[in-house]
Structure formats: C-alpha cells, structure tokens
Amino acid sequence: QVQLQESGPGLVKPSGTLSLTCTVSGDSISSSNWWNWVRQPPGKGLEWIGEIYHSGSTNYSPSLKSRVTLSVDRSKNQFSLNLSSVTAADTAVYYCARGEVAVGNAFDIWGQGTMVTVSS
Amino acid sequence: QSVLTQPPSASGTPGQRVTISCSGSNSNIGSNYVFWYQQLPGTAPKLLIYRNNQRPSGVPDRFSGSKSGTSASLAISGLRSEDEADYYCAAWDDSLSGQVFGGGTKLTVL
C-alpha cells in the first residue's frame, strides 16, 4: 500500500532553515498526483504549506510563499520542504500528504508527521 | 483566522446524529470540492469525505457530507465513542491558489 514517511531534524535554530524530506513508497512520485506539505502547531489546526507536481510545478501558501521552497527527487521517489528564516511560530508537526487526482485532489494518504521545534 | 469557518466544538450522546458546519466563500467552497478529515488524538488526519459527499473505501456510511452554495456540512449518525476526534473541512481556494482548511471542530461524545 502507499506510504509516506517524513524525515529531518527535530530541532532547528531561530533564523535557520527547516529542511524535511518525504519518502514515497507504493506509488511513483511521477504519477498524476500532487505532493503536499501541511503543518500543525501544538494544540492548533491544520495549515497547508504548499504542493509540488513531479514536473516541478508548485503552489505555495501566500502567507509562507516568501520562505518556502519545495523540490522533487524522482530518482529517490522523494519530495522535500525547505522553510527559511524560521522562528518559534514555525514550531509544529509537519505532515506530507498525497493529493490524489482520482478523488479530486483530496489528501488521501498522509505521513505520520514529524515534530519540528524551533529553539536555540 | 481560518479562511473556512467551523464551530470550535460539537457534542452528542451515543446513537445521536451530529452535524458540523463549514462556511466559506465563492472562491473556495462555492466553486470547488469540499473535503473532510478526521484527526484522532495523536494521529495524522484521515480522509473522511471527498468531492463534497463521497466516502473513501472503509469509511462507514454513518459519515455523510453535503454542500450548498458556499457552505458544507458533515453529518455523523449513530454516534460512537470512537468518533471523538477533531474534524476539519478543506477546499481549494481560487483566489489564494491553494488549499484552505477550516479551524477544526472538536467532537465530544458524552
């Protein structure tokens, strides 16, 4: 079955760059799906960060657009998130999710999430 | 402040029917599909409803979705204790060119 797994540092210093990778298994990153990042600050709701297609096309949340870069590595079947100039407000659980075209681009598969804390 | 508006909380007793509302605008719910996600404590969200009212395989038919104009609703019938979770609506927003979520509704089964 399709699985997504986030990986990356759990602690990032303020003003630094948060970098996470999502490894896809059971599906090809080159399929007709969009690959997403969503975050959830402790005790708060879900926030969409952005999405990437295997061609490299991207859409970003307007509130994060100036600091976010998404990329795809088709050889490794992975996609990645870089978030620059982080502050404590970026502390959250970060999820990767598949936007499945067959269900109207709903996020049908989610990773388990990885907690990232921004602190010195 | 979320683009989509949900009540912060809802509650019901076992066996009851509960509805959760989601209000948006012409640029999101009014012109695109609505999705609903269930998030059990300490777990990743799970897709509950897609394309306004469709259930993925494995989701009980106790869960149903509807949409009218710029609003949507999630109904849960025959409420069970295991339904206690946070529920989020979502939709694509044409003006923002991105997905938007509701603030979430915490459902308590009394």
Side-chain angles (χ1 to χ4, degrees), chain B residues 10 14 22 25-26 30 47 53 55-57 59 72 75 77 91-92 94-97 100 102:
Chain B
C22 176
S25 66
N26 288 327
L47 179 63
N53 55 18
R55 285 185 308 275
S57 172
V59 173
S77 59
W92 182 264
D94 293 332
S95 297
L96 300 175
S97 293
V100 291

Side-chain angles (χ1 to χ4, degrees), chain B residues 40-58:
Chain B
L40 298 170
T43 69
K46 168 192 169 184
L47 179 63
L48 210 56
I49 297 289
Y50 67 95
R51 286 185 177 152
N52 305 328
N53 55 18
Q54 302 299 302
R55 285 185 308 275
S57 172

Side-chain angles (χ1 to χ4, degrees), chain B residues 2-107:
Chain B
S2 303
V3 174
L4 304 181
T5 301
Q6 297 180 237
S9 64
S11 63
T13 56
Q16 254 189 338
R17 183 177 187 271
V18 170
T19 61
I20 297 172
S21 62
C22 176
S23 177
S25 66
N26 288 327
S27 64
N28 42 65
I29 292 178
S31 52
N32 294 293
Y33 292 129
V34 176
F35 313 114
W36 288 92
Y37 300 93
Q38 177 194 58
Q39 187 176 34
L40 298 170
T43 69
K46 168 192 169 184
L47 179 63
L48 210 56
I49 297 289
Y50 67 95
R51 286 185 177 152
N52 305 328
N53 55 18
Q54 302 299 302
R55 285 185 308 275
S57 172
V59 173
D61 59 6
R62 300 186 297 106
F63 294 90
S64 62
S66 64
K67 171 183 147 177
S68 179
T70 59
S71 295
S73 292
L74 173 71
I76 309 172
S77 59
L79 200 60
R80 297 184 177 185
S81 58
E82 58 259 39
D83 298 333
E84 193 160 281
D86 293 325
Y87 293 84
Y88 295 90
C89 59
W92 182 264
D93 190 295
D94 293 332
S95 297
L96 300 175
S97 293
Q99 287 278 345
V100 291
F101 284 97
T105 298
K106 183 176 185 62
L107 175 63

Side-chain angles (χ1 to χ4, degrees), chain A residues 12-19 39 47 49 60-70 81-91 94 118:
Chain A
V12 181
K13 291 186 179 346
S15 79
T17 296
L18 181 160
S19 297
R39 71 180 183 179
E47 179 184 19
I49 298 171
Y60 297 132
S61 166
S63 64
L64 297 170
K65 189 172 186 175
S66 63
R67 299 193 292 129
V68 172
T69 302
L70 301 188
L81 163 70
N82 275 3
L83 180 65
S84 63
S85 304
V86 296
T87 69
D90 296 309
T91 293
Y94 285 76
V118 178

